[in-house]
Amino acid sequence: ASQPSAERSIALAPAACAPLPGGSTRRCRRVIRYGACLYPAGTSASHCFLPEFISGDFDSIRPEVREYYTIKGCEIISTPDQDHTDFTKCLDVLQKKIEEKDLQVDVIVTLGGLAGRFDQIMASVSTLFQVTRITPLPIIIMQEESLIYLLQPGKHKLHVDTGMEGDWCGLIPVGQPCSQVTTTGLKWNLTNHMLSFGTLVSTSNTYDGSGIVTVETDHPLLWTMAIKN
Amino acid sequence: MPLPRWNLCFPLICLPDFSTLIGLFSSLSLLRLHDGNLKYCLVILNQPLDKYFHHLWSKALLRACADGGANRLYDITEGKRESFLPEFISGDFDSIRPEVREYYTIKGCEIISTPDQDHTDFTKCLDVLQKKIEEKDLQVDVIVTLGGLAGRFDQIMASVSTLFQVTRITPLPIIIMQEESLIYLLQPGKHKLHVDTGMEGDWCGLIPVGQPCSQVTTTGLKWNLTNHMLSFGTLVSTSNTYDGSGIVTVETDHPLLWTMAIKN
């Protein structure tokens, strides 16, 4: 398999991506919690949760909700293009704002998208493939106990010793077979193995206790893992 | 591999060559109480059961639970459990509760241990089911699976993966249903789906899960494709809908996952 010209190594720490309200910031210093108000935990004022913007084709937002956030000064951005999902278009707007404000951002955390209508779960995954054309930033998606992250071709290093990891993890060759996958740090590792729907998909995997998982893949490969309750 | 027996109420006859299968399939006619034409078996996975479970149970030829699916059956049938006894429960039994296992054992359900860790409880359950269908020489049109499309993301993907593997286990079509979603893997070739049963919801989609489908042609959708490429990274058809004709045809060169809404 052809190797990418630049070896990519990304450390992905769940704790850095999901900072506890008012809690640990040691890995979060450079993560901007976009849209969240940095008030201490426990503050009950609802104005602490005003998004920077709301975008979409607005076929789902309730009228009173739209009105509330408009009054409160949140930017309401219509993105009517029916060839892309609200999620994809939202990332596009977000990337532009990050550039406008010249923010240093490590990752974009998405909440939702992994449950409900099956076609929309697949649309969330599809967005992860498309987003490389929109932003260079890694995107993770989290809902309930699941997290997904698309590993681009190359080598990746995932820190799984934050204490926020649940029991299971997996590697899902969505989109096309990954003919050369090598891992370390998993209970069931792979060495230059093929992953594809129809031959092998790694689900219900887990960790070997080392605290680090490495994955090398020749094609985009979806990493999924449990978030601890 | 035995040929599938298509019910004679379908005007098109299924050809024996699976690679150019012309299938006439009305997946949601199963949910019409007065339509008893389709012969199916029921598999219950470890996810909350939906209201249409009761309709589907009554007309199934064979019913099985995969491991924790037995918990779901047990819980939802409280007060009338004896009327909802599965033919068998299979799995590695790391999910089924002890009292649930004991209950169904006492009631005479077959408890089949399938400990192989290289395959999911779902896949192994289909393997057992196929053997029973053959032993009993049953005429079955389709296997309906409840659950598998929610919860842990890796297990949702494992459900989809099973649809790819199951062609080695049984020639029967497998559909998976949970909440308002249904999925069915279209093998390479032409397919005809009746979507005029009244049980269809608003949305549908075509998902090239395992590999790009370079030549996809459809009719009957609001946004049709003509020899179009579907792949993650180029185009995935989601939030599609119907053109009102009542029939959708899909031709694909590689396995393509059909998904659709079930009406409440």
Side-chain angles (χ1 to χ4, degrees):
Chain A
S2 61
Q3 291 293 323
S5 55
E7 183 181 291
R8 194 195 289 212
S9 177
I10 296 177
L12 180 65
C17 303
L20 302 173
S24 163
T25 58
R26 72 197 146 76
R27 294 189 193 188
C28 306
R29 231 170 279 120
R30 293 169 57 225
V31 175
I32 307 299
R33 285 172 291 173
Y34 214 77
C37 206
L38 298 179
Y39 277 73
T43 308
S44 60
S46 59
H47 69 263
C48 288
F49 295 92
L50 297 175
E52 174 86 15
F53 70 86
I54 300 169
S55 67
D57 57 11
F58 300 133
D59 61 357
S60 300
I61 190 170
R62 299 196 310 265
E64 70 272 18
V65 171
R66 182 175 179 169
E67 192 178 330
Y68 175 84
Y69 288 116
T70 307
I71 288 167
K72 290 296 181 182
C74 306
E75 199 176 346
I76 309 293
I77 303 172
S78 173
T79 57
D81 175 11
Q82 289 303 301
D83 284 342
H84 296 280
T85 62
D86 290 329
F87 178 27
T88 307
K89 293 178 290 185
C90 186
L91 292 172
D92 191 59
V93 175
L94 185 64
Q95 175 62 23
K96 289 182 169 68
K97 292 205 172 283
I98 289 170
E99 290 167 6
E100 281 167 20
K101 296 172 190 284
D102 197 27
L103 294 175
Q104 300 309 311
V105 179
D106 297 315
V107 61
I108 296 174
V109 178
T110 307
L111 301 181
L114 305 183
R117 279 173 46 169
F118 186 83
D119 69 328
Q120 292 190 340
I121 298 176
M122 293 296 99
S124 303
V125 174
S126 177
T127 292
L128 294 183
F129 282 75
Q130 296 169 17
V131 83
T132 52
R133 291 188 282 266
I134 296 174
T135 172
L137 298 173
I139 317 281
I140 68 171
I141 306 181
M142 298 163 64
Q143 183 165 1
E144 293 172 24
E145 70 161 303
S146 299
L147 176 155
I148 67 173
Y149 171 58
L150 186 62
L151 304 171
Q152 292 298 327
K155 288 186 181 174
H156 302 264
K157 186 173 177 178
L158 311 173
H159 289 270
V160 292
D161 56 351
T162 66
M164 298 297 297
E165 297 75 17
D167 292 333
W168 56 266
C169 60
L171 289 163
I172 320 292
V174 179
Q176 68 178 127
C178 299
S179 51
Q180 297 276 337
V181 180
T182 299
T183 70
T184 65
L186 299 174
K187 182 168 181 181
W188 290 282
N189 282 309
L190 301 161
T191 307
N192 287 323
H193 208 98
M194 153 91 82
L195 286 181
S196 80
F197 280 86
T199 63
L200 180 67
V201 175
S202 177
T203 62
S204 293
N205 210 330
T206 188
Y207 307 104
D208 70 0
S210 63
I212 292 178
V213 169
T214 70
V215 182
E216 188 170 1
T217 176
D218 58 340
H219 292 287
L221 181 59
L222 196 68
W223 164 255
T224 182
M225 63 189 290
I227 309 163
K228 212 169 198 166
N229 281 336
Chain B
M1 190 180 266
L3 296 175
R5 302 290 196 99
W6 296 98
N7 192 288
L8 290 179
C9 75
F10 298 152
L12 285 187
I13 305 299
C14 162
L15 298 178
D17 181 353
F18 289 98
S19 66
T20 56
L21 184 70
I22 299 180
L24 183 57
F25 186 86
S26 179
S27 49
L28 290 184
S29 70
L30 301 169
L31 293 171
R32 286 156 56 109
L33 294 177
H34 56 277
D35 186 334
N37 285 331
L38 273 183
K39 298 181 178 13
Y40 62 96
C41 299
L42 198 63
V43 173
I44 297 174
L45 303 183
N46 191 6
Q47 281 291 310
L49 286 164
D50 297 286
K51 288 195 281 278
Y52 47 73
F53 148 79
H54 291 94
H55 302 327
L56 290 170
W57 178 278
S58 61
K59 291 190 154 64
L61 297 180
L62 264 182
R63 304 128 180 146
C65 298
D67 201 353
N71 297 335
R72 305 288 180 175
L73 178 65
Y74 184 87
D75 292 338
I76 204 176
T77 57
E78 185 181 354
K80 42 186 172 52
R81 287 188 185 118
E82 288 198 358
S83 302
F84 293 90
L85 300 177
E87 175 89 16
F88 71 87
I89 300 168
S90 69
D92 57 10
F93 300 132
D94 60 356
S95 299
I96 190 171
R97 299 198 308 265
E99 69 273 19
V100 172
R101 180 175 181 169
E102 193 178 330
Y103 175 82
Y104 289 116
T105 307
I106 288 167
K107 291 297 179 184
C109 306
E110 200 176 345
I111 309 294
I112 302 172
S113 172
T114 55
D116 175 12
Q117 290 303 302
D118 285 341
H119 296 279
T120 62
D121 290 331
F122 178 27
T123 307
K124 292 178 290 185
C125 186
L126 292 172
D127 192 59
V128 175
L129 184 62
Q130 175 62 22
K131 290 182 168 67
K132 290 206 174 286
I133 288 170
E134 290 167 7
E135 279 168 21
K136 296 173 190 285
D137 198 28
L138 292 176
Q139 302 309 313
V140 180
D141 298 316
V142 61
I143 296 174
V144 178
T145 308
L146 300 182
L149 305 183
R152 281 174 43 170
F153 186 83
D154 68 329
Q155 291 190 340
I156 298 175
M157 293 296 100
S159 303
V160 175
S161 177
T162 292
L163 294 183
F164 282 76
Q165 295 169 20
V166 82
T167 53
R168 290 189 283 266
I169 296 174
T170 173
L172 298 173
I174 317 281
I175 68 173
I176 307 181
M177 298 165 62
Q178 183 167 358
E179 292 171 26
E180 70 160 304
S181 299
L182 177 153
I183 67 173
Y184 170 57
L185 185 63
L186 305 171
Q187 292 299 328
K190 287 185 183 175
H191 302 266
K192 186 169 177 177
L193 310 173
H194 284 271
V195 293
D196 56 350
T197 66
M199 298 300 299
E200 294 78 17
D202 293 333
W203 58 266
C204 60
L206 290 163
I207 320 291
V209 177
Q211 64 179 127
C213 299
S214 49
Q215 298 277 338
V216 180
T217 299
T218 70
T219 66
L221 300 175
K222 182 167 181 183
W223 290 283
N224 282 309
L225 301 161
T226 305
N227 287 324
H228 209 97
M229 153 91 83
L230 286 182
S231 81
F232 280 83
T234 62
L235 180 67
V236 175
S237 176
T238 62
S239 294
N240 210 331
T241 190
Y242 307 105
D243 68 2
S245 63
I247 291 177
V248 169
T249 69
V250 182
E251 187 170 3
T252 176
D253 59 337
H254 292 288
L256 182 59
L257 196 68
W258 164 255
T259 183
M260 65 190 290
I262 307 164
K263 211 167 196 167
N264 280 338

